[in-house]
Amino acid sequence: MTWAEYCAAWSRLHGGFDPATASPVVRGWVLTAYKIGSWLGGKRIGPSAVTTAGLVLCLCVPGAVSLGRAGLLAGAVLVLLAALADGLDGAVAVITDRASRLGYVYDSVADRLGEAAWLYAFWLAGAPGGLVVAAGAASWLQEYARARAASAGMTEIGVVTVAERPTRVLVAIFGLLLGFALSQLVTVAMIIWVALAGAGLLQLLIAVRRDLGDH
């Protein structure tokens, strides 16, 4: 499957959003997944196996962080590896023509569980519980609102917000790295997560109001 064919297939599965025209971060994310996913598909590794591997890596992050300061560095590496797996399961599904509704649901649930594990790790690292809960709630609300809008008839992705999954991954990785350098910075990372998640939720709600307001 060529990159152009992959973009077309990926777009059909993501509300018509074309990754080739996305921001450099999102485009680079999807392109990397395409290249590695092509290799995995050639090795006959299924998308569900990749999803499970990513979830296991996420669930290991709190355990790594609980080991102490050096664990923050290990946690950042685990988040990076989990994020790669998260992008790869969908790529493998598209490239091998094994995309399914069940796989889509499993991937979404794994994403939410994985992010909950990251946020728990930030709490273990010293971030205030209130900020951690606010970050999780705002991110979950964005994903929930998008899913409900789709079920209500919104045919497109709505808007690519400032707090999409790749952004949350970057905040988690750099937040843990900064915490490794200076423990107080894990709180700064949570403040940034909350601010971006709140702005992203507002962006999405405006897009949903625009798309569904007259229906």
Side-chain angles (χ1 to χ4, degrees):
M1 178 178 284
T2 66
W3 168 240
E5 291 170 337
Y6 178 76
C7 285
W10 194 94
S11 177
R12 288 193 296 272
L13 294 172
H14 294 81
F17 177 72
D18 184 1
T21 62
S23 67
V25 171
V26 175
R27 185 170 63 251
W29 177 281
V30 177
L31 179 60
T32 300
Y34 161 71
K35 290 181 176 180
I36 302 177
S38 296
W39 181 83
L40 291 174
K43 300 296 181 180
R44 298 188 177 183
I45 297 175
S48 293
V50 179
T51 301
T52 301
L55 178 57
V56 170
L57 288 168
C58 287
L59 297 178
C60 289
V61 175
V65 170
S66 67
L67 297 176
R69 183 167 172 268
L72 292 170
L73 183 59
V77 173
L78 288 171
V79 172
L80 175 60
L81 293 175
L84 288 174
D86 176 53
L88 292 175
D89 55 4
V92 172
V94 170
I95 291 167
T96 60
D97 195 26
R98 294 174 65 179
S100 67
R101 289 178 294 181
L102 179 60
Y104 177 78
V105 172
Y106 178 39
D107 181 56
S108 297
V109 172
D111 285 350
R112 302 291 79 75
L113 290 174
E115 289 184 13
W118 301 349
L119 291 169
Y120 179 52
F122 273 93
W123 179 73
L124 291 175
L131 276 177
V132 171
V133 171
S139 297
W140 178 82
L141 278 172
Q142 175 175 311
E143 300 299 338
Y144 178 75
R146 177 171 282 149
R148 294 299 296 170
S151 68
M154 188 171 71
T155 56
E156 298 184 355
I157 196 170
V159 63
V160 179
T161 74
V162 296
E164 298 295 345
R165 173 79 169 176
T167 302
R168 299 196 292 269
V169 168
L170 290 175
V171 172
I173 292 172
F174 285 105
L176 291 172
L177 290 176
L178 290 172
F180 172 73
L182 183 64
S183 60
Q184 293 87 340
L185 292 179
V186 295
T187 297
V188 176
M190 282 297 92
I191 292 173
I192 293 173
W193 186 315
V194 171
L196 289 173
L201 178 60
L202 180 60
Q203 282 182 283
L204 179 62
L205 292 177
I206 291 172
V208 171
R209 177 71 177 85
R210 182 177 61 247
D211 192 89
L212 299 179
D214 295 330
H215 297 279

